[in-house]
C-alpha cells in the first residue's frame, strides 16, 4: 500500500521540479543559455525589427541593443532595419502594413506613437488600431545640450542670450513634431525664451551640425547624446524629468532651475502589427524583457540616461493611451500641423 508523502518532502519535490523547469541562465548575464521554448511552430524564421529613424540616434541604439541578443534568446536570426523619413511615419507605416505573424516588429517612441497621429494630417497609421504593444524599454528625460566650447552653462544663461540677441539662438531637434520640438515650443511660449527651431531627419544629423557649430543648442533624448557628453564634446545644461536620473545625475532639472511644470519624459517600446496572435506577443514580451533585464543591457540603458521599465504589454498600452491624451493637447496648443 502506497503511503502519502510527508508534506516537507512534497514541498521539496515541487521546488525541485520548478527548478528543473526554469530556463538555465548564463552566469552574470540574465540571458537564457538555450532559446526559449517555441509556441507551436513560432518562431521558425527571421525576425525583422524596424527603427523608423536613420542609424545613429537613440531609437537605433535601443533597437540594436535588443536585436543583437534576440537571436540567442529566440533561436532564430534577427535583423535590424532603419526606415527613416516623415518624422518616423514611413517606418511605422511599413510595420503597420506587415503580416501580423510576429516576424516584423517596430521599435518606436513617444513622438511617433503619441504625437504624429495628431501632428500630421495623414500619418498613415493609427497607433491604437494598427499596433499591439509588446513591452516598453525605458523612461528617460529630454536633455538640452550645447558644445563644450559654448558659453551657455544653465537655463538662466540661455534665457539671457535669447532675450539679448533675439533671433540668434537656434535649437536642433530630430524633426518637426518630435518631443524635442514640442519642448522647444513650450520653452518659447511658456518660459519666454525666443528660439528658432531647426528640424533634422533624426538625431544623428542634428548632432553633427551641433558639434559643427551650425546651431546654438540641441534638445534630444539622452541616449542620442550621452556618448558625445562622455567624450567631452557636449555639455548638458538641463533635463526635463521630474528628478535627476542615471548618467545625468549631475545635470539639474528644468524644475530645479525655476521652470515649473516642465516635466516631460520620453520612452522607447516594441510593437507588432495589430492582429498578431496573443501567444506570440506574450512570447516576444518574455524574450525581449529577459534581454532588457540582463546586467549589461541595464547598465547601457542607465548610462544613456534612462531607467529600465521592461513591463508587460498592457503596461505599455496604458502608457501609450495616457501619452496620446497628453501630447495631443500640447500639439493643439502649439497650433502645429504637418502635411
Amino acid at each position: 500500500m502506497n503511503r502519502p508523502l510527508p508534506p516537507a518532502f512534497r514541498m521539496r519535490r515541487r521546488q525541485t521540479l520548478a527548478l528543473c523547469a526554469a530556463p538555465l541562465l548564463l552566469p552574470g548575464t540574465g540571458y537564457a543559455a538555450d532559446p526559449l521554448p517555441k509556441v507551436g511552430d513560432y518562431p521558425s524564421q527571421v525576425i525583422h525589427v524596424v527603427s523608423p529613424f536613420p542609424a545613429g540616434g537613440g531609437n537605433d541604439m535601443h533597437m540594436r541593443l535588443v536585436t543583437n541578443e534576440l537571436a540567442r534568446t529566440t533561436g532564430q536570426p534577427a535583423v535590424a532595419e532603419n526606415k527613416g523619413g516623415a518624422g518616423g511615419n514611413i517606418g511605422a507605416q511599413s510595420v503597420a502594413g506587415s503580416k501580423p505573424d510576429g516576424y516584423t516588429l517596430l521599435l518606436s517612441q513617444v513622438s511617433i506613437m503619441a504625437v504624429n497621429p495628431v501632428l500630421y494630417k495623414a500619418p498613415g497609421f493609427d497607433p491604437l488600431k494598427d499596433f499591439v504593444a509588446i513591452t516598453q524599454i525605458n523612461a528617460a528625460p529630454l536633455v538640452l545640450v550645447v558644445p563644450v566650447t559654448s558659453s551657455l552653462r544653465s537655463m538662466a544663461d540661455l534665457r539671457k542670450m535669447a532675450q539679448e540677441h533675439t533671433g540668434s539662438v537656434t535649437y536642433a531637434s530630430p524633426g518637426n513634431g518630435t518631443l524635442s520640438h514640442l519642448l522647444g515650443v513650450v520653452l518659447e511660449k511658456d518660459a519666454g525664451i525666443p528660439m528658432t527651431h531647426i528640424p533634422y531627419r533624426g538625431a544623428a544629423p542634428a548632432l553633427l551640425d551641433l558639434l559643427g557649430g551650425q546651431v546654438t543648442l540641441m534638445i534630444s533624448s539622452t541616449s542620442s547624446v550621452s556618448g558625445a557628453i562622455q567624450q567631452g564634446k557636449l555639455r548638458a545644461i538641463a533635463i526635463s524629468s521630474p528628478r535627476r536620473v542615471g548618467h545625468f545625475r549631475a545635470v539639474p532639472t528644468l524644475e530645479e532651475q525655476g521652470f515649473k511644470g516642465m516635466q516631460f519624459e520620453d520612452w522607447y517600446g516594441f510593437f507588432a502589427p495589430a492582429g498578431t496572435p496573443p501567444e506570440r506577443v506574450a512570447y516576444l514580451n518574455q524574450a525581449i524583457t529577459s534581454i532588457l533585464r540582463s546586467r549589461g543591457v541595464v547598465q547601457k540603458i542607465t548610462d544613456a540616461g534612462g531607467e529600465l521599465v521592461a513591463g508587460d504589454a498592457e503596461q505599455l498600452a496604458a502608457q501609450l493611451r495616457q501619452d496620446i491624451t497628453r501630447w495631443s493637447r500640447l500639439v493643439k496648443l502649439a497650433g502645429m500641423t504637418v502635411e
Side-chain angles (χ1 to χ4, degrees):
M1 179 177 179
N2 293 330
R3 296 181 179 179
L5 295 172
F9 186 86
R10 291 200 301 269
M11 176 63 73
R12 286 195 297 271
R13 185 173 69 172
R14 284 196 297 269
Q15 291 172 338
T16 301
L17 291 173
L19 288 171
C20 291
L24 178 63
L25 301 181
L26 296 174
T29 68
Y31 296 135
D34 296 312
L36 295 173
K38 291 186 177 183
V39 177
D41 63 349
Y42 178 82
S44 57
Q45 63 188 59
V46 177
I47 297 174
H48 295 265
V49 182
V50 174
S51 167
F53 284 116
N59 209 94
D60 179 68
M61 186 277 280
H62 284 88
M63 172 183 68
R64 295 178 189 281
L65 195 60
V66 173
T67 307
N68 289 346
E69 302 296 339
L70 199 56
R72 173 163 50 186
T73 309
T74 65
Q76 297 298 321
V79 177
E81 302 178 14
N82 296 93
K83 294 184 179 180
N89 289 343
I90 291 176
Q93 289 173 28
S94 72
V95 176
S98 298
K99 187 176 179 180
D101 55 8
Y103 291 108
T104 304
L105 313 179
L106 177 70
L107 189 281
S108 196
Q109 62 188 104
V110 182
S111 63
I112 298 169
M113 306 304 282
V115 175
N116 285 8
V118 180
L119 177 69
Y120 287 81
K121 288 187 175 180
F125 67 94
D126 183 312
L128 297 178
K129 294 180 180 179
D130 295 336
F131 291 98
V132 59
I134 298 174
T135 185
Q136 183 176 337
I137 294 178
N138 71 334
L142 297 170
V143 60
L144 282 74
V145 293
V146 297
V148 72
T149 55
S150 171
S151 62
L152 299 176
R153 294 185 174 275
S154 68
M155 291 301 295
D157 290 343
L158 176 60
R159 187 200 294 273
K160 182 179 180 181
M161 176 185 287
Q163 292 179 343
E164 291 182 352
H165 305 279
T166 304
S168 66
V169 173
T170 56
Y171 73 96
S173 83
N176 283 315
T178 58
L179 302 194
S180 300
H181 179 199
L182 289 177
L183 178 55
V185 170
V186 172
L187 287 172
E188 183 171 7
K189 289 183 176 292
D190 293 350
I193 302 178
M195 300 184 292
T196 300
H197 176 225
I198 310 296
Y200 288 82
R201 289 172 59 88
L207 178 58
L208 286 176
D209 269 11
L210 177 66
L211 293 172
Q214 305 302 311
V215 290
T216 309
L217 70 150
M218 178 178 174
I219 303 177
S220 171
S221 64
T222 53
S223 57
S224 295
V225 296
S226 61
I229 291 174
Q230 293 174 38
Q231 293 165 15
K233 297 178 180 179
L234 295 180
R235 177 169 57 249
I237 62 173
I239 56 174
S240 67
S241 56
R243 62 202 168 279
R244 300 191 188 196
V245 297
H247 194 69
F248 290 75
R249 291 192 184 279
V251 183
T253 68
L254 288 170
E255 293 267 348
E256 289 176 308
Q257 298 186 65
F259 294 82
K260 302 303 179 184
M262 298 286 181
Q263 298 181 358
F264 303 93
E265 287 190 302
D266 194 5
W267 50 255
Y268 296 96
F270 279 91
F271 296 84
T276 300
E279 63 273 16
R280 296 191 178 189
V281 172
Y283 177 96
L284 288 165
N285 176 275
Q286 184 180 0
I288 294 171
T289 55
S290 70
I291 294 171
L292 293 174
R293 290 169 181 152
S294 67
R295 187 178 306 165
V297 173
V298 170
Q299 186 62 52
K300 289 179 181 178
I301 290 174
T302 302
D303 287 346
E307 296 179 307
L308 179 70
V309 175
D312 59 27
E314 180 50 40
Q315 178 273 325
L316 175 54
Q319 182 68 56
L320 176 58
R321 290 191 295 269
Q322 174 183 314
D323 283 333
I324 287 174
T325 299
R326 181 186 189 196
W327 290 102
S328 294
R329 185 184 67 81
L330 291 179
V331 171
K332 293 173 182 176
L333 180 65
M336 294 188 297
T337 302
V338 179
E339 296 291 339

